[in-house]
Structure formats: structure tokens, C-alpha cells
Amino acid sequence: MISNFIPGLIMIITSFLLPTIPQYFRHPAMLLSVGLSALSLFNGYGTFLEWDILGLNLILYQSDSLTLPFAIIFHIAAILVIIFSWHSKNLMEHMATLAYAGSAIGALHAGDFFSLFIWWEATALTSVFIVFAGNTNTAKDAAMRYLIIQVSSGVLLLIGACLMLYQTGNHNLVVLDLKTNFGIFIFIAFGIKAAFPLLNGWLQDSYPESSVTGTVALSAFTTKLAIYALARTFPGTDSLIWIGAIMTAFPVFFAVIENDLRRVLSFSLNNQLGFMVVGIGIGTELSLNGTVAHAFVHIIYKALLFMSMGAVLYRAGTTKASELGGLYKYMPFTTIFCIIGAMSISAFPLFSGFVAKSLIMSSLGGMGMVLIYFILFFASAGVLEHSGIKIPYFAFFAHERKNKVKEAPINMLIAMGIAAFLCIAIGVFPKYLYQILPYAVEYQPYTLDHVISQLQLLVFAIIAFLFLVKFKLYPSEIRSTVLNSDWFYRKMLPGIGKPLFIKIGLLTDSLYKNLGLSFKQVLSKSYKFSNLSYIKVTTPSFAGTILISILFIMLVIVLV
Amino acid sequence: MKKNDLKSMGKSFTKYVLIIGALLILLDFTFHRHEYFSFAEIYGFPAFFGFVSFVFIVMLGKWLRKFLMRKEDYYDQ
């Protein structure tokens, strides 16, 4: 019965029933569905549901020690998001959020690449509506770009899965390497969702454009699902160590100059994923535990930070640092919760980030990887800069505020309160977190050496901040756009492609004239424009064409 | 009083942070801090590393503005 019902599926079914449920009962119904789905957490380990179809054996529901911690935190995140959005009446967003969380939970329990692919695409198709819910023109454009990138990731995964089945006769989720062509396809598919360097543009492009509540939901699932998938199929892949290290260091510089605080948090999210990717790359029991622990605590404090910025957006109408400041007087609780989130992500001792990041740092230290160790140590100072200081400082302090705003609604405060409580509870009692990690490892994060070393790093980084502010060296906030890797498909490709596209069109025009078929006519018919000069090649569709052609070329190369 | 709220908060915050920082450095002399890499065991190494990293990040970020910063409506043009 319920025991072999795929976890998360009940949430998806409920999301489709939401329109039939009266407004006041929608949130309780959503919570109930998450609760029912969470019953699966007590099922233990094993394979619970398989389906033989088209000669394939799909493993729809399996669970083991790697699945469980992710399943627990995904359920917690779903509950936090539902409470945080209790005040909202946006039905589409509620449906999308619940189905999105359900799909992500379903994906965790897939035992083969084809089932994973279905859930992989389901998370893309449901979450795009959450980006859409930002309800501005920029949000709608970003949503289309987001969809193209996410679906491309799914297509690559499908190509990889098909090649794997064709070449090995196996399609189960097993450990892969980069020596096989299907391994590379699957690696890139996961890499897109995990926001690897240069594949990360979609994240900072779309997340900050979503609604007050939507960004919180987005921050929890997609990227951590990718981390889970990488941890399952590519543990100990050396290249991940360097990829991860670059991910921790690079976004730091972008976050320093970004003006939109929710975009700063998106860069910071990218940087946090880097720590997890390094852990997967090392591939020891200790480091994989570190990755899982970090994903677990990260979901909570990142959600907390996005919630606090959501509350600021809801009350003050913007999250642009250049227009904020002095909110501590009007939103004292939000300020405190934000600071708790900031201290957790900065890995202050007694906060959750510390007990998780220590595992990864210790495994690096134990392996003697000195360069990577100090890149991550350096990135820790960067985390403190953008998430620990910049976010709370520019939103709540910086300078006095003239017009009043109200404190966040009670439901938001409750959701932030729960998240803040968890951040501290895990930091103070790490053994409960360590108990649910995939491998049984005895680890003590609170040694005098480690605490003093971390505190010195953080406190002197704060002193550096005070020093820079004192001597007016700290960069002031400027309303601006910071270029990121999405520039390649938002500006460069259309810049090259648009004139080329029209030129080729005009060339073929003369060829086809004899056939009575004009490129102009064809285009004007299909685009419903009467004149070529009106043809506007929109970025998403153009980027889409390019992506599809790249995918097609890759497929041809592999098949040949 | 009200006008100076943020200023006085900033001042006392600075004071406490400096005191804690000084204590942390002093603490370093009272015991041998074990690290994975021997050069990190030099007195006050993490403190120095934190300070320098932070300044470096901010300064390099500021410099990168030259190349990465565009107008707010850059993508709408």
C-alpha cells in the first residue's frame, strides 16, 4: 500500500487537486501531502517498486543510505516553503511548488537512468512555472531560458542513458567514469543542473527573477538533486575536485559587485555547491559524508537567507542593495533570522555550516591536498564577505532608512524561525546530523585547534571589512548588471547569429525565387510579420536553435 | 540619540570585534595549534589569511567591475 507508493507522488497528485480545494484549506492540504509522503522515510532501505515496460526494468522506488538524508531534507524544505507562502493566494505557484518538490523527492528514489530522466524533466517542467510566477517581463524571459537549459540537461541525460543501455545492456544507477562516451553525456547533464563553471548562467539568471516565495523553493531542490546524482554516479572522479574548487572561488568575485541581493545569494549558492562537488571528487567516506552533510545544512540556511530577502522584497518592494538599508529598526525579527542564516553559511562555530564544512576540509587536509585546501579556505572568507556581511549589512544596516516598512507577516516569521532554530540546533548537536549520513564515521568538529583557526579566519575577515569601510575602500553599491556566463547565449550568440541568419536567408531567397517561394514570405508567414525588417529573433528561441544543433552534432559524432 | 543609532552600534561592534580578535591572537600563544599543514601553524596564520583574502576579494571584485559591469537595462537593449 502506502509503503510502496513512490515518495513525492502523493504531493504531485495533491498539487493537481489543489484547484478543487477551497482557498483556506489549500495550505493544510499541501502540508498533509508532504506529511504522507514523509511516511516513506520510515520504510528502511531496499527496492520497493519496479516496473517492467518495453523490455526495460524500471526501478521506480528504491532507498538506501545516500537517498535517506536527501529525502529528509527535501521534505523539511517543502514544509518550510509551504509555511513561508501561507499568506499567498497564487494558485499556479502553489501547484508548481508542490509538484516540483514532489518530483525532486521522486527523483531521489529512482533506481535507473530512465526513471531518473522522467523525474529530472518533471522538476524542470514544474519549476519553470515558479520562475514564471515572478510575473514580470524579465521573469518570463528568464523562465524561457531556464526551461531551455533545464530541458537540454534532461536530453543529454537521456542520450547518455540510451547509449549506456545500447553499449552495456545496463541502465541502472551505477558508478560511472569519464572514460565512456555515455559517462560524459550524463556528467554534463548533471553538471548543468549542478551549475558547473560556465554552465552556471541559468542559476543567477532565473532564481532572482522569481517571486518572493518562489526563489525559496527553487533554491532547495534542483541543484541539490544534481549533487545527489553526482554523489551516486561519479564519486571519486578527480576532475570534480578542480571543478568544485573553481566553483567555490569564482562566484565570490561576482557576488562582491552584484547589486541585487537575491542574485548575490544565487552566486553564493553556486559557491556552496562547489564545496559539495569537491567532496564528491575526493570520494572518501569522510568527504562524501561531508558533501551530504553540507547539502543538508545548506538547504536550510540558504532557504533561511532567501526567505529573509523574500520578506524584505515583500515589505520594501526591492532587494537592490543600492535602495535598501536601515531595515533593522522595522524588521527586527527578520534581521535576527537573517544574521543567524549568515552566521551559519559563514561557518561560525556552533552554527550548522561549521559542522558540515569541517568534514570536507578535514578530508582535504587528511589527503594532503594543500592547494585545494587553501582555495576552499580562501573561499570561506569569500562566503563571509558576500553572504555573511554583505547581505545583512546592506539590507538591514548600512544607513538609516527614511520611510517605514512593516515587519514580515507571521507565517514568514514562523518559517524563518524554524529554519533558524535548525541552523543552531544542528550546530550545537551535530551528532544527530552525523547519524543520518551515508557512512558511519566518528568525527569531532569541535576541537580547540579547529575552532580557534576558523574563528581567527572569520573575525579577522570581519576586521578587514571594518577597515575597508572605515577608509572608504569598500565598493559602494551601484545599480548595474554584472555579466555572467549567460552572456554567451544572451548577447554573443544572437549578436553573431542574427545578421548571419538574415544573410543566409537573403542568399537562399534568390535561389528559391524560381520556385515561387521566398524566404521573406516563408518567414513572414511563420512569424506573422509583414516585412523582414520587423523580424525579431528572440534570444530564447535563438539560443534554443543553437543548443539543439549542438546536441544534434554531438549525437552524430557519438554515433559515427 | 536617534540619529546616531547606527553609528554608535557600528562603533561598539567594532570595539567588540577588535577585542575578540586580540583575544584570539593571544590564545594562539597559549597552546600549539595543530593544522594539517605545518606552515599554517605559524602564530596567527588563519587571522592573517582571513584578513588578506578578504581585502583581496573586495579589491579584485572592485577592479573586475571595469570588465563585468554594464548598465542595469543592458539585456533589454
Side-chain angles (χ1 to χ4, degrees):
Chain A
M1 231 230 2
I2 193 102
S3 66
N4 50 12
F5 206 69
I6 305 171
L9 193 60
I10 182 86
M11 291 158 68
I12 298 172
I13 295 170
T14 311
S15 89
F16 286 113
L17 293 177
L18 275 187
T20 66
I21 301 171
Q23 169 70 39
Y24 287 104
F25 297 105
R26 274 179 198 152
H27 283 92
M30 286 160 80
L31 274 188
L32 183 69
S33 72
V34 179
L36 285 174
S37 167
L39 288 177
S40 65
L41 299 174
F42 301 101
N43 273 355
Y45 302 148
T47 303
F48 300 98
L49 185 66
E50 292 177 83
W51 189 25
D52 283 307
I53 180 170
L54 302 168
L56 286 177
N57 176 252
L58 299 186
I59 301 166
L60 295 175
Y61 177 10
Q62 62 130 35
S63 174
D64 60 21
S65 60
L66 183 61
T67 320
L68 186 70
F70 280 96
I72 294 173
I73 193 60
F74 277 17
H75 282 99
I76 293 174
I79 291 169
L80 287 176
V81 173
I82 292 168
I83 298 173
F84 187 74
S85 65
W86 204 279
H87 66 281
S88 156
K89 293 191 175 79
N90 188 336
L91 179 62
M92 182 188 83
E93 193 186 318
H94 292 331
M95 289 175 69
T97 304
L98 194 60
Y100 172 44
S103 313
I105 291 168
L108 293 178
H109 294 90
D112 66 282
F113 280 108
F114 289 103
S115 328
L116 180 67
F117 162 74
I118 294 165
W119 292 116
W120 200 257
E121 292 291 39
T123 56
L125 295 178
T126 47
S127 58
V128 71
F129 289 99
I130 305 177
V131 183
F132 232 84
N135 210 19
T136 57
N137 284 333
T138 13
K140 283 169 188 162
D141 287 348
M144 290 318 292
R145 289 190 292 271
Y146 174 84
L147 185 64
I148 291 166
I149 305 280
Q150 297 292 311
V151 170
S152 312
S153 161
V155 172
L156 288 170
L157 177 59
L158 183 63
I159 296 172
C162 290
L163 284 171
M164 184 181 167
L165 182 66
Y166 179 68
Q167 290 173 16
T168 66
N170 181 17
H171 61 283
N172 287 348
L173 279 182
V174 288
V175 175
L176 302 176
D177 56 43
L178 295 176
K179 291 185 189 96
T180 52
N181 52 15
F182 55 82
I184 292 170
F185 274 101
I186 293 170
F187 189 75
I188 297 172
F190 292 169
I192 291 174
K193 284 217 189 198
F196 279 3
L198 296 179
L199 301 175
N200 65 329
W202 63 272
L203 199 161
Q204 291 86 17
D205 179 20
S206 59
Y207 282 13
E209 299 299 341
S210 182
S211 69
V212 167
T213 51
T215 310
V216 183
L218 290 169
S219 78
F221 302 108
T222 299
T223 48
K224 260 61 72 184
L225 177 60
I227 293 295
Y228 158 80
L230 281 171
R232 182 166 287 284
T233 46
F234 292 100
T237 305
D238 288 339
S239 48
L240 283 176
I241 298 176
W242 274 105
I243 292 174
I246 293 168
M247 279 166 83
T248 60
F250 252 76
V252 163
F253 301 106
F254 291 79
V256 174
I257 47 179
E258 176 58 54
N259 187 34
D260 184 342
L261 293 180
R262 290 203 299 171
R263 194 157 273 129
V264 172
L265 283 177
S266 307
F267 280 115
S268 154
L269 171 52
N270 215 165
N271 146 289
Q272 295 287 302
L273 294 169
F275 284 93
M276 299 173 213
V277 170
V278 170
I280 299 170
I282 303 168
T284 60
E285 291 192 346
L286 183 64
S287 76
L288 287 171
N289 268 353
T291 294
V292 176
H294 202 240
F296 194 99
V297 298
H298 158 87
I299 288 179
I300 301 171
Y301 57 63
K302 187 85 302 164
L304 176 55
L305 287 166
F306 269 120
M307 285 195 276
S308 68
M309 285 306 109
V312 166
L313 177 64
Y314 187 65
R315 287 306 196 202
T318 181
T319 48
K320 295 205 170 107
S322 52
E323 275 130 84
L324 287 172
L327 283 172
Y328 77 100
K329 237 178 229 169
Y330 309 108
M331 304 178 82
F333 290 106
T334 309
T335 309
I336 291 168
F337 293 141
C338 180
I339 291 174
I340 291 173
M343 290 180 81
S344 301
I345 196 171
S346 312
F348 273 91
L350 299 180
F351 289 86
S352 60
F354 180 76
V355 301
K357 205 188 267 176
S358 304
L359 290 163
I360 298 173
M361 296 305 279
S362 290
S363 44
L364 274 173
M367 307 273 284
M369 296 182 183
V370 56
L371 186 57
I372 305 282
Y373 183 89
F374 282 101
I375 291 176
L376 263 57
F377 207 48
F378 164 80
S380 304
V383 175
L384 179 85
E385 199 287 324
H386 55 70
S387 292
I389 293 177
K390 183 169 178 172
I391 296 285
Y393 177 72
F394 281 109
F396 300 107
F397 303 102
H399 48 79
E400 300 288 350
R401 189 182 170 85
K402 287 193 187 85
N403 34 349
K404 280 187 179 177
V405 291
K406 278 203 273 184
E407 175 60 278
I410 185 76
N411 63 302
M412 288 190 176
L413 292 178
I414 292 172
M416 285 190 272
I418 296 171
F421 169 79
L422 288 172
C423 283
I424 297 174
I426 293 171
V428 178
F429 305 107
K431 66 173 183 193
Y432 297 107
L433 172 66
Y434 292 165
Q435 270 169 13
I436 58 166
L437 296 180
Y439 303 101
V441 174
E442 273 299 312
Y443 185 78
Q444 178 50 259
Y446 288 111
T447 60
L448 188 61
D449 304 315
H450 193 181
V451 170
I452 296 295
S453 167
Q454 179 72 2
L455 275 178
Q456 278 197 9
L457 174 85
L458 293 174
V459 170
F460 276 83
I462 296 175
I463 292 174
F465 169 74
L466 295 169
F467 165 84
L468 289 170
V469 170
K470 173 89 187 166
F471 292 99
K472 304 220 182 321
L473 290 167
Y474 197 82
S476 56
E477 290 315 296
I478 304 172
R479 300 184 63 146
S480 59
T481 301
V482 176
L483 299 187
N484 188 15
S485 59
D486 55 345
W487 177 83
F488 291 104
Y489 56 84
R490 288 177 75 180
K491 271 286 178 192
M492 194 191 81
L493 283 181
I496 301 168
K498 210 160 134 181
L500 208 71
F501 188 62
I502 290 170
K503 219 165 230 172
I504 294 171
L506 290 175
L507 263 175
T508 46
D509 213 29
S510 53
L511 289 172
Y512 283 104
K513 241 174 201 160
N514 296 338
L515 297 166
L517 203 75
S518 147
F519 175 74
K520 273 186 193 175
Q521 283 171 359
V522 175
L523 267 189
S524 59
K525 262 182 202 160
S526 51
Y527 282 88
K528 289 188 181 150
F529 291 123
S530 54
N531 191 319
L532 189 64
S533 62
Y534 287 105
I535 293 171
K536 185 183 165 226
V537 184
T538 55
T539 323
S541 62
F542 187 78
T545 323
I546 293 290
L547 270 172
I548 290 165
S549 12
I550 292 171
L551 292 180
F552 183 75
I553 293 165
M554 282 172 85
L555 187 66
V556 170
I557 292 169
V558 168
L559 291 180
V560 170
Chain B
M1 166 70 198
K2 251 197 171 166
K3 223 183 169 185
N4 294 324
D5 257 6
L6 265 176
K7 256 192 179 165
S8 60
M9 268 168 69
K11 266 189 184 155
S12 54
F13 180 75
T14 311
K15 197 173 82 189
Y16 287 119
V17 169
L18 286 175
I19 291 172
I20 295 169
L23 281 177
L24 283 169
I25 294 291
L26 286 177
L27 251 175
D28 228 15
F29 288 99
T30 62
F31 76 109
H32 181 73
R33 188 164 37 75
H34 293 276
E35 296 274 356
Y36 290 104
F37 307 103
S38 54
F39 61 87
E41 291 181 350
I42 302 168
Y43 297 111
F45 178 82
F48 174 76
F49 191 86
F51 190 92
V52 171
S53 303
F54 195 97
V55 173
F56 174 75
I57 288 165
V58 172
M59 286 305 161
L60 187 64
K62 217 168 144 181
W63 181 70
L64 280 173
R65 269 190 168 162
K66 275 186 190 168
F67 310 99
L68 295 174
M69 199 166 80
R70 296 288 184 278
K71 280 186 182 153
E72 205 170 26
D73 60 350
Y74 174 69
Y75 284 116
D76 305 328
Q77 287 162 1

